[in-house]
Amino acid sequence: MPQFDFAHVLWPQLAWLFVTFAVLYFGVVRLTLPKLGKVMDARESSISGNLATAQAVKQAADEIDARYHAEMNASREEARKAIADAKAKAAKSTEAKLSKAGAKAEAALSEAEDRIAQAVAKAEGALATAAAENAQAIVARLTGVEPKLDAAKAVVAAQA
Amino acid sequence: MANPMEQFSVETIKPLSVAGYDVSFTNSSLWMMIALAAVSIFLFVGTARPQLVPGRWQAATEYLYDFVRKMLDENVGPEGRKFAPLIFSIFILVLASNLLGLIPWVGAFTPTSHVTVTFGLAMIVFVTVCVVGVWRHGFHFLALFWPKGANVFLGAFVFVIEFLSFLTRPFTLAIRLFANMTAGHVLLKVFGTFVVTLGSFGALPYVFGILPLAVTVALTALEVLIAVVQAYVFALLASLYLNDAINLH
């Protein structure tokens, strides 16, 4: 194999390999790759920066959304409370009015009853007087003696 | 039948000598230069005007660079990034040599099919690993060979084995690449010869040449794959060895 003919292939190849590699490393790769690396890093950081910005914006939006929902819930709750309060107040005032009216009606009723009782008593009194007068007149016609009205009244009361 | 080893012979193009050493410009040197030129064009054009949104050429260079950077990130960690240019240089030189050597008809020579060249590349890796290891950890670098929590006798025994295995790394690294390249090229040459030999069967010309021709086509595809995979393996092992020097264990 010519590869193992070192007397012939060793130094020429090693020398030119090191020349080639030195030129490649210092003259080509070191001049070009850093430029490429810079661009790649810039791209990476710009992409990750954009992603971070997007994430931050999304988070802010989420916060606003959560706040909106919380506020909506709070105001809904408030409205519900206001409605319940108003309802309770209305119910209370209705009850008060009803009870007041009820009391008034009762008072009027008892007054009327009193009046009726008075009227009945008065009527009863008048009836008794009339009966006594009638009895007086009857007695006067039958006996010619006019009895006293008070005695007639007493007799009528005793007869009743 | 032509000698399948003939393709590996180093032919002097211009004899040169420095301080008594023969450093002639040979076909091997020529193909190293061609690989260097191809890589230079690829890189200089690809990075001429780097854009945040890359063009085709820039995307291709970025793809390779990103490949090497990811490999170092995975195997070495954040400190491996510093060595990306070195590993990239080794990777792209091996890759270019492997692939260019497969071009038919132009008398292509594969520098990586010579153990001298692969050993030179392996030594670049090995020396870098030693220098980085000693520079970062000093004498403590020897702890790489000492098994944690072993008793003294077992430890000493393992130390010797680990140390020898560390010393064989450049050889295994060199021989793996050289053997793969050489074997592939020999195989291609042998089947190529079969095409001619069987195809020139007098009574029924060409017909029997078809089968070895098909095999040669298939083998060429396989060799392209091997050329890429071996360049990857070389760079991967280099980064694993580098990891030992940087992170110990």
Side-chain angles (χ1 to χ4, degrees), chain A residues 2-3 6 8-13 15-17 20-21 24-25 27-29 32-33 35-36 39-41 43, chain B residues 5 8 10 22-25 28-29 33 40 44 47 50-52 54 62 65 69 88-89 113-114 116-117 182:
Chain A
Q3 283 98 325
F6 288 122
H8 188 56
V9 302
L10 185 69
W11 288 115
Q13 291 206 102
W16 284 99
L17 172 68
T20 307
F21 193 79
L24 176 68
Y25 184 73
V28 180
V29 169
T32 53
L33 279 201
K35 281 200 282 183
L36 213 54
V39 170
M40 285 159 78
D41 289 341
R43 181 183 309 134
Chain B
M5 289 298 159
F8 302 116
V10 174
D22 175 24
V23 291
S24 306
F25 191 81
S28 176
S29 322
M33 290 291 142
S40 304
F44 277 121
T47 61
Q51 306 280 314
L52 216 54
E62 273 185 16
Y65 187 35
R69 286 217 301 195
F88 183 86
S89 303
S113 69
H114 268 255
T116 308
V117 174
T182 302

Side-chain angles (χ1 to χ4, degrees), chain B residues 28-122:
Chain B
S28 176
S29 322
L30 175 68
W31 281 89
M32 284 181 212
M33 290 291 142
I34 290 173
L36 176 63
V39 171
S40 304
I41 290 168
F42 178 66
L43 285 179
F44 277 121
V45 174
T47 61
R49 274 177 290 110
Q51 306 280 314
L52 216 54
V53 179
R56 285 161 203 241
W57 207 301
Q58 190 193 335
T61 53
E62 273 185 16
Y63 178 79
L64 278 186
Y65 187 35
D66 199 44
F67 172 71
V68 172
R69 286 217 301 195
K70 286 234 169 72
M71 188 167 71
L72 283 167
D73 282 348
E74 276 168 26
N75 296 308
V76 184
E79 292 185 68
R81 283 265 171 123
K82 270 187 298 194
F83 297 95
L86 180 75
I87 301 293
F88 183 86
S89 303
I90 290 171
F91 173 66
I92 200 129
L93 185 61
V94 172
L95 182 68
S97 303
N98 289 356
L99 286 176
L100 289 170
L102 282 171
I103 300 173
W105 291 307
V106 295
F109 183 89
T110 316
T112 43
S113 69
H114 268 255
V115 71
T116 308
V117 174
T118 59
F119 186 72
L121 288 166

Side-chain angles (χ1 to χ4, degrees), chain B residues 92-230:
Chain B
I92 200 129
L93 185 61
V94 172
L95 182 68
S97 303
N98 289 356
L99 286 176
L100 289 170
L102 282 171
I103 300 173
W105 291 307
V106 295
F109 183 89
T110 316
T112 43
S113 69
H114 268 255
V115 71
T116 308
V117 174
T118 59
F119 186 72
L121 288 166
M123 280 313 284
I124 294 173
V125 174
F126 186 72
V127 169
T128 307
V129 166
C130 290
V131 168
V132 168
V134 171
W135 181 66
R136 283 181 64 99
H137 304 289
F139 183 71
H140 194 62
F141 183 48
L142 289 175
L144 177 62
F145 313 119
W146 189 266
K148 260 188 208 148
N151 69 44
V152 179
F153 295 107
L154 188 63
F157 183 63
V158 173
F159 181 90
V160 172
I161 294 177
E162 286 283 331
F163 188 66
L164 286 179
S165 106
F166 179 76
L167 289 185
T168 57
R169 277 175 180 180
F171 296 97
T172 53
L173 198 55
I175 289 168
R176 181 179 300 109
L177 179 57
F178 140 75
N180 268 290
M181 287 302 111
T182 302
H185 281 267
V186 168
L187 210 57
L188 281 178
K189 187 66 133 202
V190 166
F191 275 91
T193 316
F194 282 169
V195 178
V196 179
T197 334
L198 291 176
S200 44
F201 179 56
L204 199 60
Y206 305 126
V207 175
F208 296 111
I210 291 171
L211 190 65
L213 181 64
V215 173
T216 308
V217 170
L219 277 179
T220 307
L222 180 69
E223 284 310 312
V224 171
L225 177 71
I226 288 176
V228 176
V229 168
Q230 285 304 318

